[in-house]
Amino acid sequence: METLRYFLFDVCGVNAGWKMEDVMDEEIEVINNTVAPDDHVICALSGGVDSTVAATLVHKAIGDRLHCVFVDNGLLRYKERERVMETFERDLHLPVTCVDASEQFLSKLRGVVDPEMKRKIIGKEFICIFDAFAHELEQKVGKKPAFLVQGTLYPDVIESCPPPGSGRTHSHTIKSHHNVGGLPKDMKLKLIEPLKLLFKDEVRQLGRILKVPEPFLKRHPFPGPGLAVRVLGDVTEGNALDIVRQVDEIFIQSIKDAGIYDSIWQAFAVFLPVKSVGVQGDQRTHSYVVTLRAVTSQDGMTADW
């Protein structure tokens, strides 16, 4: 870092004038130049850091012409829907509509075991939900929303697409993010992604400037496809989703009780489609295996256990 600092500031004479406040002002200007004064905008709100900061930023730019949608896709964590909706209403005062589409998602995922296929299916279903919501909104406000806000970050783009400027039409896709590589080509809504050039630590910094409550900003990342990618195999088989929800809840609460939640980047449980023997009390058991993972990171690009 010292070498880079010397090269940039002493040798090149670069001015260190970049501030996150400038990013906020620039993005608000871009949003206002993109969205016409009578346009309405939908925001895909998940309850995580990224979409919450994106929604708050766009709301600051266009006010009540922003309409947020929280989708219960049947793949959420334990009591996530109730907790998130309560926090939206109590702390953020954003206009949020909750859509229960759990049966719609789970029916499409029945029998699917490939995680990449799961991501594609979930991305497509999300867009179907937003298109339907846009149609309903048109009946209320008299004009169909043209834009969809997403909390896409730069790592999402990197992992889903070829390197920029590489000239390639394809590369090794690490994973198709449901909000990048998982989107259908024929989607009707145009995207607004105000955070797509930022990393997670920068988004948290922007959130503090926007006065997003600290508990929201400190939440661990949770994948858009939800527990679909934390249950290996068919998510609809047996009670895999219930098991991983309960395990995850116990794991996260234990980390919070130990006072180390904020020093961990991401902690979560994974359901494995294999059984193992064990002993519970005085009895031998033969049941499914779950794994617990916890990693530290700064920007989500590299991690350590």
Side-chain angles (χ1 to χ4, degrees), residues 230-232 243-244 247-248 251 267-274 288-294:
R230 291 189 177 168
V231 171
L232 301 192
I243 291 171
V244 79
V247 172
D248 193 75
F251 185 31
F268 56 94
V270 177
F271 178 93
L272 302 182
V274 293
Y288 287 105
V289 176
V290 289
T291 66
L292 305 181
R293 294 197 66 193

Side-chain angles (χ1 to χ4, degrees), residues 258-271:
I260 56 173
Y261 181 86
D262 292 344
S263 62
I264 294 172
W265 169 268
Q266 188 178 33
F268 56 94
V270 177
F271 178 93

Side-chain angles (χ1 to χ4, degrees), residues 121-139:
I121 290 169
I122 289 165
K124 185 178 179 182
E125 288 309 306
F126 268 124
I127 296 302
C128 289
I129 299 281
F130 300 140
D131 281 340
F133 181 75
H135 182 70
E136 289 173 22
L137 198 58
E138 184 182 12
Q139 312 303 313

Side-chain angles (χ1 to χ4, degrees), residues 46-189:
S46 70
V49 178
D50 311 333
S51 64
T52 301
V53 172
T56 307
L57 181 62
V58 175
H59 191 256
K60 187 177 178 69
I62 67 169
D64 291 339
R65 289 182 291 128
L66 175 71
H67 307 269
C68 298
V69 190
F70 176 76
V71 179
D72 182 352
N73 57 8
L75 303 163
L76 302 176
R77 287 170 286 197
Y78 182 76
K79 291 191 175 177
E80 180 85 347
R81 174 176 165 178
E82 296 88 340
R83 290 169 177 173
V84 165
M85 289 302 293
E86 182 187 341
T87 311
F88 283 151
E89 291 166 14
R90 187 184 64 231
D91 298 331
L92 288 172
H93 313 297
L94 288 171
V96 184
T97 299
C98 181
V99 176
D100 184 356
S102 47
E103 188 51 46
Q104 180 176 333
F105 278 84
L106 293 177
S107 64
K108 291 285 171 59
L109 290 168
R110 190 164 285 115
V112 179
V113 297
D114 177 57
E116 184 68 9
M117 184 58 67
K118 289 179 186 178
R119 289 177 178 276
K120 298 277 189 185
I121 290 169
I122 289 165
K124 185 178 179 182
E125 288 309 306
F126 268 124
I127 296 302
C128 289
I129 299 281
F130 300 140
D131 281 340
F133 181 75
H135 182 70
E136 289 173 22
L137 198 58
E138 184 182 12
Q139 312 303 313
K140 292 180 185 174
V141 300
K143 185 173 183 181
K144 192 165 187 175
F147 297 95
L148 173 68
V149 178
Q150 293 194 143
T152 308
L153 303 193
Y154 194 49
D156 301 338
V157 178
I158 292 170
E159 291 176 346
S160 297
C161 305
S166 65
R168 297 186 208 164
T169 54
H170 67 281
S171 67
H172 287 294
T173 299
I174 298 170
K175 56 187 176 186
S176 288
H177 284 261
H178 73 290
N179 56 348
V180 186
L183 295 177
K185 291 183 174 62
D186 60 345
M187 65 177 284
K188 301 177 183 71
L189 295 162

Side-chain angles (χ1 to χ4, degrees), residues 3 34 42 58 121 176 213 221 295:
T3 305
T34 304
I42 293 172
V58 175
I121 290 169
S176 288
V295 296

